[in-house]
Amino acid sequence: MKLHSNIIGEGKPFIILHGFLGMGDNWKTLARQFSESNYEIHLVDQRNHGRSFHSNAFDYDLLAEDLKHYCDTHNLKDIVLLGHSMGGKTAMLFASKYPELVHKLIVADISPRYYPVHHDAILEGLSSLDFTQIKTRGEADKALSSYIQDVGTRMFLLKNLYWVEKGQLGLRINLEALKENVSEVGEALPIHASFEKDTLFLRGDRSEYIPKADETIIHRHFPNSKIITITNAGHWLHAENPKEFYDAVINFI
């Protein structure tokens, strides 16, 4: 069961992990920019997302082991590892378990603490999509709008739509498994997990995912970390202020 990836550029290995209900393709524009600085960017789809395999089992230990298998398969060492949200949790755990494989770690808008489940409306909306009736992306968007008012969030979610066959839409994500295991997405990093190499935490100034109170737990797990706030950005800080996000990452690496 291999993870699907899109590899862009040549040079030092740089892996990017998307967030919950996302996929590697969400990062294509930034990946092309990073690749111009002599990096080989691996846009990885985590299990049950994008074009990667589906499984009923889903937790951070498994996601970290999937990534270890990916690195072994592609002979990747001394990597730059960037993860956003759920991908950031995977990246934190992976770096703590396999520090010898990670050169630098970047975590985007998530901290090591526990987060309560907060995706109920999104998952309910996605579950409501009846593809025997919905035949266009516009119709899917209209159906989702009853559950999710924010247009940007709907556009993000609708990237999961694909043509199963001519005239038949479907979702790439393994929705049932993700609904069943959604509580795993908020799980905290294990209490003794740590990574002592250079680490950068990025947070959006309009996001509530990394409040001031989280700085203590971040520095406890990642003693050589710094925290930078991206302006004019919420949780999807890389999409909302890509220039400032890019500059912060490239200066760090």
Side-chain angles (χ1 to χ4, degrees), residues 84-97:
H84 171 244
S85 200
M86 180 191 82
K89 283 278 184 80
T90 304
M92 284 188 266
L93 183 59
F94 180 87
S96 72
K97 293 177 77 169

Side-chain angles (χ1 to χ4, degrees), residues 100 103 116 132 135 154-155 159 176 179 239:
E100 70 281 0
H103 174 56
T132 64
K135 298 300 180 184
R154 295 203 307 273
M155 292 303 100
K159 289 180 180 178
E176 289 308 311
K179 284 166 59 182

Side-chain angles (χ1 to χ4, degrees), residues 7-253:
I7 302 172
I8 298 171
E10 295 180 355
K12 294 168 281 189
F14 184 159
I15 295 176
I16 298 179
L17 300 176
H18 60 82
F20 187 57
L21 304 175
M23 63 185 77
D25 279 0
N26 298 153
W27 287 80
K28 265 187 178 176
T29 303
L30 274 168
R32 290 192 185 99
Q33 287 181 270
F34 290 135
S35 72
E36 291 169 4
S37 296
N38 299 313
Y39 286 98
E40 180 183 84
I41 312 299
H42 293 251
L43 297 178
V44 174
D45 291 343
Q46 298 185 85
R47 70 165 62 195
N48 293 326
H49 291 76
R51 291 175 172 84
S52 281
F53 64 90
H54 288 187
S55 170
N56 291 330
F58 187 81
D59 60 39
Y60 284 116
D61 282 319
L62 291 169
L63 296 180
E65 290 311 304
D66 290 344
L67 185 57
K68 174 64 164 61
H69 182 63
Y70 181 87
C71 289
D72 291 345
T73 300
H74 291 268
N75 195 28
L76 301 181
K77 299 171 184 174
D78 207 29
I79 64 173
V80 173
L81 179 58
L82 186 162
H84 171 244
S85 200
M86 180 191 82
K89 283 278 184 80
T90 304
M92 284 188 266
L93 183 59
F94 180 87
S96 72
K97 293 177 77 169
Y98 306 106
E100 70 281 0
L101 295 180
V102 181
H103 174 56
K104 288 192 175 186
L105 174 65
I106 302 137
V107 180
D109 216 54
I110 200 79
S111 93
R113 67 175 167 90
Y114 167 78
Y115 291 78
V117 174
H118 55 281
H119 300 95
D120 303 36
I122 286 175
L123 292 173
E124 190 178 350
L126 290 171
S127 299
S128 76
L129 298 178
D130 180 359
F131 293 113
T132 64
Q133 303 297 320
I134 293 171
K135 298 300 180 184
T136 68
R137 290 175 182 271
E139 290 172 357
D141 181 47
K142 185 177 180 181
L144 274 184
S145 67
S146 301
Y147 298 86
I148 303 153
Q149 292 185 331
D150 182 65
V151 176
T153 302
R154 295 203 307 273
M155 292 303 100
F156 165 76
L157 294 169
L158 288 170
K159 289 180 180 178
N160 287 292
L161 285 182
Y162 78 113
W163 294 106
V164 179
E165 56 188 48
K166 188 174 181 180
Q168 178 62 56
L169 283 167
L171 291 170
R172 288 201 185 278
I173 52 171
N174 184 354
L175 184 58
E176 289 308 311
L178 295 177
K179 284 166 59 182
E180 184 71 24
N181 296 287
V182 66
S183 62
E184 296 291 342
V185 178
E187 282 300 308
L189 196 65
I191 191 166
H192 297 300
S194 66
F195 178 71
E196 298 191 355
K197 296 181 185 177
D198 289 344
T199 304
L200 174 65
F201 281 79
L202 296 170
R203 61 184 169 195
D205 66 346
R206 297 199 304 262
S207 172
E208 298 177 352
Y209 274 73
I210 306 182
K212 182 79 174 172
D214 283 9
E215 294 179 12
T216 300
I217 190 173
I218 286 171
H219 293 306
R220 187 186 310 142
H221 287 284
F222 303 92
N224 287 310
S225 63
K226 61 180 179 179
I227 303 166
I228 292 178
T229 301
I230 303 299
T231 61
N232 301 313
H235 186 53
W236 284 284
L237 62 178
H238 55 290
E240 295 170 39
N241 192 343
K243 184 183 185 306
E244 196 170 318
F245 186 92
Y246 170 83
D247 288 343
V249 171
I250 212 73
N251 288 337
F252 174 68
I253 60 177

